[in-house]
Amino acid sequence: MHAGTSSDTALRRALLLDAAATVAMGLLLAVAAGSLAGLLGLPAGLLRWAGLFLVPFAAVLALVAKRPTVSGRATVILIACNVLWAVDSFVLLASGWVAPTALGVAFVAAQGLAVAAFAALEYAGLRRAAALA
């Protein structure tokens, strides 16, 4: 799939918004995993490693968005990663592998839905970019 034109900003904005939210969440989880663990009922190690994964993922999102022409292939991969993250969030809640508090359930569900929304925005932006190309 071809990316689109450098003049289409919808896809860039979606990727950059995702990058900003992702780096913020990543830093929060990486730095405050110990404090959040008790509050959310989730293992500190899980939170910390999730945060450490999110920071470089945010950098990739920003890098793809800042290229002169946004790569359609890279965007599809990023969308797939977001969909996988969103699905895995709900699998985690249903699995019984963790025992989150009510706030923890709300936190995991809310971030899963937010990631799914970013995937949808990016997909819509990719379709628009392809239509303009």
Side-chain angles (χ1 to χ4, degrees), residues 39-131:
L39 194 62
L40 301 176
L42 297 169
L46 173 67
L47 296 172
R48 186 170 296 107
W49 281 108
L52 292 173
F53 169 81
L54 290 175
V55 173
F57 184 73
V60 172
L61 286 162
L63 179 67
V64 170
K66 291 294 190 176
R67 302 273 309 165
T69 300
V70 177
S71 167
R73 183 170 296 166
T75 301
V76 168
I77 292 168
L78 293 171
I79 291 168
C81 289
N82 276 344
V83 169
L84 182 62
W85 185 280
V87 169
D88 282 351
S89 296
F90 292 98
V91 168
L92 178 68
L93 291 175
S95 71
W97 296 332
V98 294
T101 63
L103 183 59
V105 170
F107 177 83
V108 172
Q111 64 81 37
L113 292 172
V115 172
F118 282 125
L121 282 173
E122 291 157 3
Y123 179 73
L126 183 63
R127 286 183 48 102
R128 180 172 183 237

Side-chain angles (χ1 to χ4, degrees), residues 1-5 7-13 121-133:
M1 174 178 282
H2 179 58
T5 65
S7 63
D8 181 34
T9 58
L11 179 55
R12 288 179 194 285
R13 286 183 182 158
L121 282 173
E122 291 157 3
Y123 179 73
L126 183 63
R127 286 183 48 102
R128 180 172 183 237
L132 292 174

